[in-house]
Amino acid sequence: MRPLLCCLGLAVLLGPCLACPSACSCSTKKNGRLLAECAYKDLQEVPEGLSSNVTILTLSANRISWLGQGSFAEVPEVQSLWLGYNQIAVVEPEAFAFLVHLKNLDLSHNKIADFPWQDLHNLSGLQILKMNNNRLAGLPRDAFHSLKELRSLWLNDNELTTLAEGTFDNLPSLSQLQIFNNPFNCSCKVFWLKKWTENTSVSITKGGSTLCVAPGRLKGRAVTDIPDHYCVAPSVQLTYLSNLDNTVTYDGLTLTLHCSVAGSPPPEIRWKIQTSSRRVEINGPNVARDGNVKQSQGRFLVFKNGTMAIPNFSKEDEGIYTCLAVNDVGTRDVSVNVALAGSENPAEDLLQDDPQAGQLGGRSCYKGDEMDPSGAGEKLVIVYHMPRESKSRAGGVVPQVYLGTLLLALGLVL
């Protein structure tokens, strides 16, 4: 009787540890890990009744279509979770967030288009992540940044058209990456990937199959073969133009700056203006071909050719004027600090008004002077001289007449 009671007592103690749903088979491995084998069981959801100390859970090749927040609440100790070859289309936030011991996660061959990437932030011990053969069309730049132990990442056979620069940064353990069979649009937004593959020690499996689908001129070509001359970072020069050879019919001065840019693809030109009282950003021209002016930026006239003109420039317009050249490869900018003086010796007036001005570049700029961008942020100084006797020379001219004259003059000069 005593041996029988001992056996019954042992069964009671071990019963919770060996709990196993009827559709699964559970066993203890030689290394002490508990395996729950639930593959090929035609399951439509994660089964209930799993033991809390399961470390390996196999749910591959079922008909599971949905993973909810509590789907794996019973198995907080799981280290390997195999979910490949299901029909998973919906993954709710926090479905995996609390599986902090997870080392292997297989979600391959499903229908996942949207994924709660924030769940990965808690999985710092993850070593293998398989998300291949799904419907992923995009990834956030920081999707994998917390996965310091990640060794193998499978993203092949999805619908990725681009990848944000830095997607694979901060992955010191990564040794294998699969991204082939994605419909990459090989614009210069993925040019970084070519450079990264040239310098990384990561093995990129079947790299020759990582092909461009667009644009047409690169279709069928490997991402790693994008020609260097297709993608060139912007360069920018800023030139101060004179007051249109004094062709003015109004009371005041016009500040005119011309921004020349180069790069491939052709950069967009943007302006940032910082004065003592306001900050203005202008993303593109606001003067149309027919001379009509958008009113959103007030008196700042920006033309398609990269010229900015500010009529009736006054002390309140003093500040830093920055031209930015932006394309898919990068951004470059150059700035000038513009000050207005009103005497025959404007540099002296400027220094009296602002003792720091002499430290912002050390020279005045005149017609045709170029702002050398090699200083990477150096603020040069334009001292704009306003003769005192001209202040009331043309007080009767209305702004509309002046604006038409200015637009015409800019068209002739530029």
Side-chain angles (χ1 to χ4, degrees):
M1 180 66 70
R2 182 174 293 180
L4 179 59
L5 292 174
C6 290
C7 290
L8 290 175
L10 184 61
V12 170
L13 290 174
L14 295 178
C17 298
L18 298 176
C20 191
S22 58
C24 306
S25 61
C26 302
S27 61
T28 303
K29 309 292 285 184
K30 290 181 179 180
N31 57 11
R33 294 180 180 177
L34 185 60
L35 166 65
E37 175 63 67
C38 311
Y40 296 95
K41 301 298 182 180
D42 207 31
L43 298 173
Q44 297 186 34
E45 59 183 14
V46 178
E48 296 181 355
L50 289 164
S51 177
S52 62
N53 61 349
V54 165
T55 53
I56 304 172
L57 177 57
T58 302
L59 290 163
S60 305
N62 282 292
R63 294 195 296 133
I64 300 171
S65 61
W66 169 85
L67 296 176
Q69 181 177 350
S71 292
F72 304 104
E74 293 184 336
V75 288
E77 302 295 322
V78 71
Q79 297 179 17
S80 297
L81 180 56
W82 309 108
L83 288 158
Y85 292 93
N86 275 281
Q87 300 175 19
I88 300 170
V90 177
V91 182
E92 291 186 351
E94 299 187 355
F96 302 104
F98 303 107
L99 302 181
V100 295
H101 302 289
L102 204 58
K103 294 182 178 179
N104 306 302
L105 177 58
D106 180 8
L107 288 164
S108 63
H109 295 272
N110 279 288
K111 301 177 181 180
I112 301 172
D114 296 310
F115 185 80
W117 299 104
Q118 64 274 15
D119 277 19
L120 299 183
H121 295 173
N122 292 332
L123 309 185
S124 58
L126 199 64
Q127 297 178 8
I128 297 175
L129 177 58
K130 294 184 176 183
M131 302 193 73
N132 52 291
N133 294 86
N134 275 285
R135 299 175 180 177
L136 299 173
L139 304 171
R141 183 180 182 274
D142 62 348
F144 311 115
H145 278 197
S146 63
L147 306 182
K148 305 301 181 184
E149 303 297 322
L150 190 66
R151 294 186 285 107
S152 182
L153 177 60
W154 299 36
L155 294 169
N156 54 284
D157 293 277
N158 275 285
E159 298 178 7
L160 299 172
T161 59
T162 189
L163 289 169
E165 184 171 359
T167 298
F168 307 121
D169 290 350
N170 301 316
L171 297 175
S173 302
L174 189 65
S175 60
Q176 181 189 34
L177 174 66
Q178 296 192 171
I179 55 173
F180 59 89
N181 290 346
N182 277 290
F184 283 112
N185 181 345
C186 292
S187 70
C188 292
K189 290 182 179 179
V190 299
F191 187 66
W192 72 270
L193 186 59
K194 165 188 165 75
K195 296 298 183 182
W196 183 80
T197 57
E198 292 173 350
N199 297 298
T200 186
S201 59
V202 176
S203 174
I204 303 176
T205 308
K206 296 185 180 180
S209 298
T210 309
L211 305 179
C212 305
V213 172
R217 60 183 178 178
L218 294 176
K219 186 175 182 179
R221 197 164 182 171
V223 172
T224 53
D225 291 337
I226 300 175
D228 287 351
H229 68 270
Y230 279 20
C231 301
V232 180
S235 62
V236 57
Q237 286 186 328
L238 193 54
T239 305
Y240 159 51
L241 304 177
S242 75
N243 204 18
L244 300 180
D245 295 326
N246 296 318
T247 55
V248 292
T249 58
Y250 62 97
D251 183 15
L253 298 170
T254 299
L255 173 66
T256 310
L257 301 172
H258 182 67
C259 187
S260 300
V261 300
S264 181
E268 297 178 3
I269 296 176
R270 303 174 186 174
W271 291 89
K272 290 185 178 180
I273 302 156
Q274 178 69 64
T275 69
S276 60
S277 60
R278 60 178 169 169
R279 183 183 182 91
V280 179
E281 295 188 9
I282 305 174
N283 297 323
N286 59 15
V287 179
R289 291 181 180 273
D290 59 5
N292 289 328
V293 181
K294 300 176 184 178
Q295 299 300 315
S296 57
Q297 285 89 27
R299 295 187 300 103
F300 300 107
L301 307 178
V302 177
F303 298 80
K304 188 176 182 180
N305 68 351
T307 296
M308 171 188 284
I310 307 171
N312 295 315
F313 189 83
S314 65
K315 294 289 285 186
E316 67 179 18
D317 298 318
E318 292 181 331
I320 297 173
Y321 288 71
T322 302
C323 174
L324 299 93
V326 181
N327 69 7
D328 290 340
V329 187
T331 301
R332 194 71 188 273
D333 65 79
V334 62
S335 301
V336 291
N337 193 337
V338 183
L340 183 66
S343 70
E344 296 300 326
N345 191 346
E348 290 183 0
D349 276 10
L350 175 64
L351 291 174
Q352 291 174 3
D353 292 342
D354 183 4
Q356 301 293 323
Q359 303 173 15
L360 295 175
R363 68 184 179 91
S364 303
C365 301
Y366 299 95
K367 181 179 181 180
D369 280 358
E370 293 179 350
M371 313 297 117
D372 182 4
S374 61
E378 178 185 13
K379 303 298 188 295
L380 304 176
V381 178
I382 293 177
V383 179
Y384 209 107
H385 179 211
M386 180 177 67
R388 297 188 188 281
E389 62 273 13
S390 68
K391 291 183 179 179
S392 59
R393 185 174 61 182
V397 178
V398 296
Q400 289 81 358
V401 175
Y402 152 66
L403 181 58
T405 305
L406 172 64
L407 297 177
L408 177 61
L410 281 171
L412 292 173
V413 172
L414 301 174

